[in-house]
Amino acid sequence: MPDTDPAVSEIRDLLRSAKSTLVLTGAGVSAESGVPTFRGPDGLWKNHRPEQLATADAFRADPRLVWEWYGWRRQRVAACRPNAAHEALARFTVRDSSTQIVTQNVDGLHELALQDLLSVEEASTALPLELHGSLYRVRCVACRFRVGHRDPVDATSEASLPRCPECDNLLRPDVVWFGESLDEKTLEAAITAAEGADVCLVVGTSAVVHPAASLPLVTRQAGGVVVEVNLEPTPLSDVARVSFRASATEVVPLLLAL
Ligand code: BJW
Ligand code: ZN
């Protein structure tokens, strides 16, 4: 997509003059870093049905299988680096503190991109809101214990899975599975950001999973503009001012260039 494309210039100007911007990202923003998406021909769901792996029932039925899948994903993501879209978004949030990144991703790549620009301490003030949790945290299935966790998980048997140091019940990935509520404070902060945003830039999400997919509609209803970047059309394409049918690394840096 050329830099001189009139739609690129229009949205770049819109983003430059916006008082407040919300960026909602999904798996597509990390696809060019090598992180698999969920849906589509090469998606994670191709070989695993979501209800087999991404529900609390699935974990109760077979925690070993679920941990094996998350262990495999951790390994894959550990080999991935932020791409040009993460980097452009990180630079944009650092430049403009009224920009909030809200991500459905659990891969931590937005945070890594920020840490490449700032110290860990400085980066903590511009962190993305992670709606669906993190691959690198665990929590207890029974008590409130929750902790960062990057060690490899031995999923050869149920007996080898990680256990809670407080109550000895199983630890699970601290992610949000289907049918589970999102963290209340995180969701509230995301809705507030969506209500106050002049522009909601939506990058690389199929926009079928709620409540995340409703956030751009909140911005729209409050009088703001939705802009989409996605290789494919989504349910949001019709409400977007412009829907760029191109990859995240191609378009996002163009839109956010100074
Ligand atoms: C590129 C690209 C490139 C590729 N450049 N683009 C309202 C209506 C209907 C249903 C519900 C509703 N409210 C709640 C529900 C139920 C349910 C839901 O939404 N179901 C729908 C599927 C129908 N929601 C929930 O259960 C949520 N909880 C909740 O609402 O609690 C209250 C409640 C409970 C029960 C009933 C009612 C209310 C929780 C949802 C949790 C989702 N969890 C997962 C797993 C997280 C952990 C993990 O990672 O393992 O989150 S599912 C999975 O989908 C993951 C993702 O974050 C999420 C979204 O996927 P995403 O990011 O959009 O990825 P893809 O693969 O779908 O799309 C990638 C896109 O990128 C594609 O469009 C490509 O074209 C594009 N692309 N390369 C640009 N280079
Ligand atoms: Zn516990």
Side-chain angles (χ1 to χ4, degrees):
M1 172 141 332
D3 196 5
T4 49
D5 185 302
V8 170
S9 317
E10 181 200 344
I11 301 305
R12 189 193 285 147
D13 291 347
L14 193 69
L15 285 161
R16 272 186 194 149
S17 58
K19 284 198 218 60
S20 172
T21 303
L22 170 76
V23 183
L24 174 67
T25 66
V29 78
S30 298
E32 291 161 275
S33 291
V35 180
T37 61
F38 290 89
R39 297 162 187 87
D42 300 318
L44 284 168
W45 295 153
K46 206 176 69 147
N47 301 316
H48 306 277
R49 300 215 322 273
E51 60 275 20
Q52 273 176 338
L53 293 167
T55 67
D57 280 349
F59 190 76
R60 269 189 293 273
D62 195 345
R64 197 208 60 77
L65 175 70
V66 174
W67 259 124
E68 187 176 60
W69 189 55
Y70 278 93
W72 170 78
R73 286 178 56 199
R74 271 190 184 182
Q75 264 185 345
R76 251 199 97 147
V77 170
C80 298
R81 294 288 309 150
N83 63 44
H86 297 109
E87 285 162 5
L89 286 166
R91 280 195 299 274
F92 193 67
T93 23
V94 168
R95 221 164 52 213
D96 175 1
S97 60
S98 67
T99 300
Q100 178 66 60
I101 299 178
V102 177
T103 188
Q104 298 167 83
N105 299 345
V106 296
D107 57 29
L109 290 181
H110 285 301
E111 191 175 339
L112 262 188
L114 267 173
Q115 287 170 3
D116 287 346
L117 289 180
L118 305 169
S119 68
V120 172
E121 227 165 69
E122 287 170 325
S124 69
T125 61
L127 287 182
L129 295 170
E130 294 180 322
L131 291 177
H132 295 161
S134 167
L135 268 184
Y136 298 108
R137 272 198 320 265
V138 291
R139 67 182 156 98
C140 177
V141 294
C143 76
R144 297 166 70 89
F145 182 80
R146 184 187 299 255
V147 73
H149 189 281
R150 288 184 174 266
D151 303 337
V153 168
D154 179 356
T156 44
S157 74
E158 193 165 328
S160 65
L161 297 179
R163 292 204 162 254
C164 176
E166 307 280 340
C167 74
D168 205 38
N169 276 290
L170 281 175
L171 293 172
R172 54 163 278 184
D174 190 14
V175 298
V176 183
W177 285 325
F178 284 113
E180 294 185 325
S181 299
L182 281 66
D183 176 72
E184 210 177 308
K185 284 207 176 105
T186 309
L187 181 58
E188 253 176 45
I191 292 171
T192 303
E195 283 167 347
D198 308 327
V199 186
C200 178
L201 175 63
V202 188
V203 185
T205 175
S206 57
V208 294
V209 174
H210 293 268
S214 309
L215 292 171
L217 304 177
V218 170
T219 300
R220 184 84 188 78
Q221 271 153 18
V225 169
V226 175
V227 175
E228 181 179 62
V229 178
N230 198 306
L231 295 175
E232 306 282 341
T234 78
L236 289 175
S237 302
D238 286 342
V239 298
R241 167 83 65 92
V242 179
S243 187
F244 293 98
R245 203 63 63 236
S247 85
T249 61
E250 188 185 355
V251 174
V252 172
L254 286 184
L255 296 180
L256 302 181
L258 268 177

